[in-house]
Amino acid sequence: LGKMASSSLAQVFVEGPFESTIVALEPSAGLEGLKGSIARQTGIPEELQRITCGGKVLSQATSMGELDNSTVVVALRVLGGGGDGGSIPGRMDLVKTAKTHTWLLKAATREDPSFQMNAPWTMCALTNEKLAQPVYADQLGHLFNKEALLKYILGEKKAHFTHIKAMRDAVEVKITVSKAKSEPGDHPLGWVCPVTGKPVNGKRRFYVVWGCGCLVSKEAVTQLGSKNCPRCTRELDPELDELILMSPPTDELKAQYQQMKTRNAVLKERRKAAKRLKKASKAKAKADPEAKSAMGAPLPKKAAAKTDKKIAPPKKKKRHLSAVQREIQENLKKAKKQSKVFSSIFLTKRDFENDERVASTSFISTKPRSMNALV
């Protein structure tokens, strides 16, 4: 199995009294680092973890590089009464301690026996917050809130989600919400299969179609076949294996990871082929202008048909003057009426030609103003 993280990280599959998960750490990290990562993901304290690999208890000197691509099992350690090597415990001590650990495990799972079954369908895999649409899914069957996914991509990466590097590594889930009254066993948000009407929960297997994001049940795929999407009837790409199992069990997680690698390789090759085709088309269009027009270059716009109708000039927009401007204009009009000399300052050559009375005035010259001083 290839590594989920980059080549510099060691990857370990973890099983135990919780949902199976994957931990990726530096190869130099020791057993304490592994326990700390498991404690953050499951809520089980480090001192209660008893980790084995191949039936053997791991020592403190074990490094992540030695456990790369291995499966480890986490069990609850018995503390007190000699279970840690101090003395030989009696039966009653072991029974009491086991009850204490059972209570601790229930507290970690919010005292709900079906919590581990329903949590993947109701909580964001990144923040453990309640899911709210729009919801996104990755290729390993995890659900995320969009805001949390964007913050993760733009911010610090978490070791067990390093396969998500951009938004194209997730798909928006198209969810069908039932309007019927909820009953025991239904999804808290009313999610159902659009074909069978069965509620979305941990008791049934559901798929997300990678190409369109539709959430459908296994029964719908069995009834309608796997050639088309049961919800939107879109034809599925057999090369991509688009049906992604949500919250897969441990024995199917490795196979699903291999499917993700194969799918990503196909998509990457298609993106490269599209870039090569685009680059070749641009080079061909640059070398042959006729080919550019044949490839869909924009054609020149048709000339407007000539008509005999005269086009009226655009109307001038009225200027909205302020109170000060209106007052200045009124004062100028009054000054022009009171003094002919003052009004002659604002006369133009056309005014002199049209108004004989003004043109015959002795103190006004019809010559250009620059020549008045020489007359």
Side-chain angles (χ1 to χ4, degrees), residues 2 45 53 67 124 244 258 295 309 313 354 372:
C53 181
L67 299 176
C124 173
I244 298 175
Q258 288 291 354
M295 287 165 50
K309 296 182 181 180
N354 295 337
N372 288 347

Side-chain angles (χ1 to χ4, degrees), residues 62-336:
T62 306
S63 64
M64 286 292 293
E66 300 174 7
L67 299 176
D68 192 15
N69 292 329
S70 301
T71 300
V72 299
V73 179
V74 179
L76 294 178
R77 183 184 296 276
V78 179
L79 296 180
D84 52 355
S87 61
I88 300 175
R91 179 179 178 279
M92 294 302 297
D93 295 330
L94 293 177
V95 172
K96 289 180 181 179
T97 308
K99 289 183 178 180
T100 304
H101 290 167
T102 305
W103 171 84
L104 178 63
L105 185 60
K106 286 186 176 181
T109 57
R110 301 184 183 180
E111 299 184 1
D112 185 358
S114 61
F115 173 77
Q116 294 291 347
M117 185 181 296
N118 296 327
W121 295 105
T122 57
M123 299 170 62
C124 173
L126 282 169
T127 60
N128 291 334
E129 296 178 353
K130 185 179 179 181
L131 288 173
Q133 297 193 43
V135 176
Y136 280 73
D138 66 354
Q139 299 184 62
L140 294 180
H142 301 105
L143 293 174
F144 311 93
N145 286 325
K146 183 178 181 180
E147 184 178 356
L149 187 61
L150 287 172
K151 288 182 179 179
Y152 166 76
I153 293 173
L154 299 176
E156 184 180 356
K157 301 292 186 294
K158 293 187 177 181
H160 46 289
F161 290 117
T162 50
H163 61 285
I164 302 176
K165 300 177 182 177
M167 288 300 290
R168 70 184 179 194
D169 295 325
V171 62
E172 183 176 356
V173 183
K174 296 179 181 177
I175 301 169
T176 303
V177 180
S178 174
K179 297 182 180 179
K181 186 177 180 181
S182 61
E183 298 179 358
D186 289 353
H187 191 277
L189 303 178
W191 297 0
V192 296
C193 173
V195 179
T196 62
K198 299 291 181 65
V200 177
N201 51 34
K203 298 179 181 179
R204 298 179 179 86
R205 295 165 72 92
F206 275 79
Y207 296 98
V208 166
V209 184
W210 183 249
C212 54
C214 297
L215 180 65
V216 294
S217 64
K218 182 182 178 181
E219 290 84 352
V221 175
T222 304
Q223 294 175 11
L224 303 179
S226 59
K227 293 184 178 180
N228 297 83
C229 174
R231 186 177 186 270
C232 63
T233 68
R234 184 185 66 87
E235 186 176 358
L236 303 184
D237 190 342
E239 191 177 5
L240 294 180
D241 193 8
E242 295 188 60
L243 294 176
I244 298 175
L245 178 63
M246 303 303 296
S247 299
T250 308
D251 55 346
E252 298 184 28
L253 183 60
K254 296 181 180 180
Q256 189 153 330
Y257 178 66
Q258 288 291 354
Q259 292 176 1
M260 180 187 71
K261 289 182 61 179
T262 305
R263 188 182 301 111
N264 287 343
V266 173
L267 292 174
K268 186 176 181 179
E269 185 60 32
R270 289 182 181 180
R271 288 194 296 268
K272 288 183 177 180
K275 287 182 179 179
R276 289 194 296 266
L277 181 61
K278 187 177 180 180
K279 188 176 181 180
S281 301
K282 286 184 177 180
K284 186 177 180 181
K286 189 175 181 180
D288 188 1
E290 295 182 0
K292 185 177 181 179
S293 60
M295 287 165 50
L299 300 175
K301 295 182 180 179
K302 295 182 178 179
K306 296 183 178 180
T307 57
D308 296 335
K309 296 182 181 180
K310 294 183 179 180
I311 301 174
K315 294 182 179 180
K316 294 184 179 180
K317 295 183 179 180
K318 294 183 179 180
R319 293 179 60 191
H320 297 281
L321 304 178
S322 63
V324 177
Q325 292 175 329
R326 287 196 297 269
E327 184 179 356
I328 293 173
Q329 285 190 353
E330 292 176 0
N331 293 338
L332 286 175
K333 289 180 181 179
K334 290 179 182 179
K336 288 178 184 180

